[in-house]
């Protein structure tokens, strides 16, 4: 959720966090007091700052403000360490799992329904049908290994600061900025 203030974000997180019988991955413990924790501040937190996650190209229009944000965390008393998390681009693994999920749910419907389905959804489903069972199992293993690396990262750092996007907003009529490959 996008909120106007940090206290609103804490309220949202407080409402959303905690156990949920509909989600087998949710934590069973009651959530911490996110709203009450705001008064403690962030001084002393360990912040891992990665300007590019070790593999992404980031436009200077994005990179510069993120680097400035890292300095603000230092000014607020955090221990900021520039780091490279050391993993490869997870996009191929995510693409496989995502597309195979749609292939599994919708692939059997294409013969009868594809002319009434969104063309992008049909393309995604067909793409997913191109993966083998071995591809899927390998991607699941990569996902579990990625989870382990992410868990280790958060044992070292309290927060990870990195760009959320590689480029700033650009004209909506384009698929990418004119200066981007």
């Amino acid at each position: 959720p996008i909120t106007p203030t940090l206290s609103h974000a804490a309220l949202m997180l407080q409402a959303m966090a905690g156990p949920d019988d509909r989600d087998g991955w949710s934590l069973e413990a009651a959530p911490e007091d996110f709203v009450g924790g705001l008064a403690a501040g962030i001084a002393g937190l360990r912040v891992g700052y990665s300007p590019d996650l070790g593999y992404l190209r980031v436009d200077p229009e994005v990179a510069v403000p993120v680097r400035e944000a890292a300095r603000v965390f230092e000014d607020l008393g955090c221990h900021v360490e520039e780091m490279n998390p050391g993993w490869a681009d997870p996009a191929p693994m995510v693409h496989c799992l995502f597309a195979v999920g749609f292939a599994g749910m919708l692939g059997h419907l294409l013969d009868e329904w594809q002319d009434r389905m969104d063309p992008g959804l049909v393309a995604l489903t067909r793409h997913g049908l191109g993966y083998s069972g071995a591809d899927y199992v390998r991607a699941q293993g990569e996902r579990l290994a990625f989870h382990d690396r992410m868990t280790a990262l958060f044992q070292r750092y309290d927060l990870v600061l990195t760009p959320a996007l590689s480029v700033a907003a650009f004209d909506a009529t384009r698929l990418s900025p004119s200066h981007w490959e």
Side-chain angles (χ1 to χ4, degrees), residues 2-19:
I2 297 173
T3 62
T5 67
L6 184 59
S7 59
H8 285 112
L11 282 169
M12 282 299 301
L13 186 55
Q14 194 71 52
M16 295 169 21

Side-chain angles (χ1 to χ4, degrees), residues 96 100 127-139:
C96 173
V100 168
H127 178 69
L129 290 170
Y131 287 101
S132 69
D135 293 332
Y136 180 77
V137 170
R138 185 176 52 254

Side-chain angles (χ1 to χ4, degrees), residues 124-174:
L124 175 62
T125 302
R126 288 208 179 282
H127 178 69
L129 290 170
Y131 287 101
S132 69
D135 293 332
Y136 180 77
V137 170
R138 185 176 52 254
Q140 283 288 14
E142 291 172 6
R143 183 185 65 82
L144 292 172
F146 186 80
H147 174 271
D148 290 345
R149 289 189 299 273
M150 187 67 72
T151 298
L153 186 70
F154 280 102
Q155 288 173 347
R156 184 171 178 183
Y157 301 108
D158 299 305
L159 305 171
V160 173
L161 175 64
T162 189
L165 298 169
S166 293
V167 296
F170 53 90
D171 189 282
T173 62
R174 300 188 51 86

Side-chain angles (χ1 to χ4, degrees), residues 61-129:
E61 190 177 2
V62 172
V64 170
V66 174
R67 184 173 299 280
E68 290 170 2
R71 287 190 196 108
V72 170
F73 276 83
E74 286 177 333
D75 293 344
L76 292 171
C78 294
H79 306 287
V80 178
E81 177 184 337
E82 186 168 332
M83 59 85 180
N84 177 341
W87 57 62
D89 184 352
M93 172 262 299
V94 172
H95 289 169
C96 173
L97 296 174
F98 187 72
V100 168
F102 279 93
M105 291 184 296
L106 303 174
H108 67 285
L109 300 173
L110 289 181
D111 288 342
E112 181 179 350
W113 292 97
Q114 72 177 342
D115 60 330
R116 290 172 266 177
M117 294 170 68
D118 177 81
L121 182 59
V122 171
L124 175 62
T125 302
R126 288 208 179 282
H127 178 69
L129 290 170

